Amino acid sequence: MTDAQRVQIEYCTQCRWLPRAAWLAQELLTTFETELTELSLKPGTGGVFVVRVNDEVVWDRREQGFPEPTAVKKLVRDRVAPGRSLGHSDK
């Protein structure tokens, strides 16, 4: 794969959401260990919790609530590895 596949999780430091962001990052890195070229955690404020793939917002807590890992994995998969099975997460 020659194209960069970057995921960014922006989280609110005021709300102490680093553990939640780090856990989601671990889930994504474990699932997409060969597809992702970068995963970053971006400190933010004001209640932000946003997941971006290649600068495209795929999940925003303000609109969708907190994500389940399975939902985010499907959104990331659709952008970095379309057609790939996620096993039991696809069911």
Side-chain angles (χ1 to χ4, degrees), residues 2-13:
T2 57
D3 294 332
Q5 299 293 332
R6 298 179 321 276
V7 171
Q8 178 189 76
I9 302 170
E10 184 177 3
Y11 65 95
C12 180
T13 57

Side-chain angles (χ1 to χ4, degrees), residues 1 3-5 31-38 80-81 84:
M1 176 178 313
D3 294 332
Q5 299 293 332
T31 301
F32 301 105
E33 58 189 6
T34 60
E35 290 87 357
L36 297 181
T37 56
E38 179 182 333
V80 304
R84 177 179 165 198

Side-chain angles (χ1 to χ4, degrees), residues 59-78:
W59 196 278
D60 187 336
R61 182 199 64 82
R62 287 190 178 110
E63 297 173 11
Q64 298 155 285
F66 276 110
E68 289 296 321
T70 300
V72 176
K73 286 180 185 181
K74 288 178 182 177
L75 293 166
V76 171
R77 184 266 321 267
D78 291 347

Side-chain angles (χ1 to χ4, degrees), residues 32-63:
F32 301 105
E33 58 189 6
T34 60
E35 290 87 357
L36 297 181
T37 56
E38 179 182 333
L39 191 146
S40 64
L41 298 176
K42 180 180 179 183
T45 58
V48 68
F49 197 93
V50 174
V51 180
R52 294 178 181 87
V53 178
N54 298 324
D55 299 320
E56 174 194 357
V57 174
V58 298
W59 196 278
D60 187 336
R61 182 199 64 82
R62 287 190 178 110
E63 297 173 11

